[in-house]
Amino acid sequence: MRDSFDPVDTFNNLIQRWWVIVLIAVIGGLLGFGFSMIQKPLYQAESTIHASIDFTQINFENMVGEYGHPLVFTQYDEDLALQIVERVLLTKRNDAYAYGRELDSDLDQDTFKRNMQIQRYLARWHLRYRHEDPAVAQAIVNYWTEIGMEALRDAQESGRAESFVMVSLVSLADRPLRPSYYHRNTLALAGTAAGMMLGVVVVDLKFRMQEQPPSEL
């Protein structure tokens, strides 16, 4: 057994036995991929809401700010105004959860929050929900979308949402036909990284356990 650490010898040993490290890393990646496959698949349903700004209702002409600069409607102002879609949908999350409990009595708050998603892409907001039963996923998304659209209309009528924000329903959720396996890439990558670290440890440990050649006098 080697009783001293030589960084050059250690590095050269790792380079010479790179294939062992790669092999263990590949095995780790396959194990991570296999673990993702045995997880229970979920079906994702998605609805889409369109939200944009009616600039004809925004008149900053001859208006100046605090320091006398002309007021302009910036991208930040636009993003802030369009966030009303997400804010209103989130106010209806508990109602959507209560409806989901009617369809799945085992559904809990943490699982519901983990499997929901509200995401904006340009002028479109996507409301998604994942569930083991495709019919349940579809029903929750469509119910949430419908009460969300009603709440958005109420918000604009009451003045809680800007009148120049135009919101319309693009599509309700169809029933998903195929399940999705989530975190597959993450688990495979994590398995590969763990395998690579294990490979380095194994190769280095085996090198250190070897008998050190006697030094020449």
Side-chain angles (χ1 to χ4, degrees):
M1 182 176 179
R2 298 174 185 269
D3 54 5
S4 62
F5 174 74
D6 188 325
V8 175
D9 287 346
T10 299
F11 179 75
N12 289 335
N13 175 63
L14 295 176
I15 293 299
Q16 290 175 0
R17 292 169 174 78
W18 63 267
W19 60 272
V20 177
I21 300 174
V22 172
L23 178 61
I24 297 178
V26 170
I27 293 174
L30 292 175
L31 288 174
F33 182 82
F35 180 74
S36 72
M37 292 294 293
I38 65 175
Q39 288 186 311
K40 189 173 294 185
L42 300 175
Y43 292 84
Q44 177 173 280
E46 173 185 292
S47 67
T48 304
I49 297 172
H50 184 275
S52 60
I53 304 296
D54 183 0
F55 288 98
T56 62
Q57 295 191 36
I58 302 174
N59 183 14
F60 280 170
E61 188 177 355
N62 299 324
M63 297 182 65
V64 296
E66 181 180 356
Y67 301 103
H69 300 296
L71 287 178
V72 294
F73 197 78
T74 65
Q75 183 63 49
Y76 172 77
D77 295 323
E78 181 177 346
D79 293 339
L80 192 63
L82 295 178
Q83 284 293 325
I84 187 63
V85 176
E86 181 179 22
R87 293 198 300 270
V88 169
L89 287 175
L90 288 176
T91 64
K92 294 299 178 181
R93 181 172 60 191
N94 288 338
D95 294 332
Y97 168 66
Y99 178 74
R101 286 273 299 174
E102 295 177 7
L103 304 176
D104 178 5
S105 59
D106 294 328
L107 186 62
D108 58 71
Q109 279 276 13
D110 291 338
T111 301
F112 184 84
K113 291 179 181 179
R114 185 170 59 251
N115 288 327
M116 56 152 281
Q117 183 184 59
I118 303 173
Q119 186 178 51
R120 178 189 170 191
Y121 181 72
L122 299 178
R124 296 193 171 196
W125 286 92
H126 302 282
L127 174 61
R128 304 184 181 103
Y129 187 74
R130 300 185 292 266
H131 195 273
E132 300 166 10
D133 186 335
V136 172
Q138 179 192 27
I140 290 176
V141 168
N142 287 341
Y143 176 79
W144 194 352
T145 302
E146 290 168 355
I147 62 175
M149 288 297 299
E150 183 178 351
L152 282 166
R153 288 190 290 268
D154 291 343
Q156 287 190 312
E157 291 175 0
S158 64
R160 289 181 290 111
E162 301 293 349
S163 60
F164 53 75
V165 176
M166 300 184 298
V167 180
S168 61
L169 177 63
V170 176
S171 63
L172 289 173
D174 295 325
R175 181 173 299 190
L177 300 178
R178 281 178 285 191
S180 300
Y181 293 87
Y182 293 91
H183 308 302
R184 176 182 294 177
N185 293 338
T186 301
L187 290 172
L189 183 61
T192 301
M196 182 172 294
M197 289 187 290
L198 179 62
V200 171
V201 172
V202 169
V203 170
D204 184 62
L205 184 61
K206 186 175 181 180
F207 175 68
R208 295 184 182 283
M209 294 299 293
Q210 293 176 350
E211 291 292 334
Q212 188 172 8
S215 58
E216 296 182 359
L217 298 178

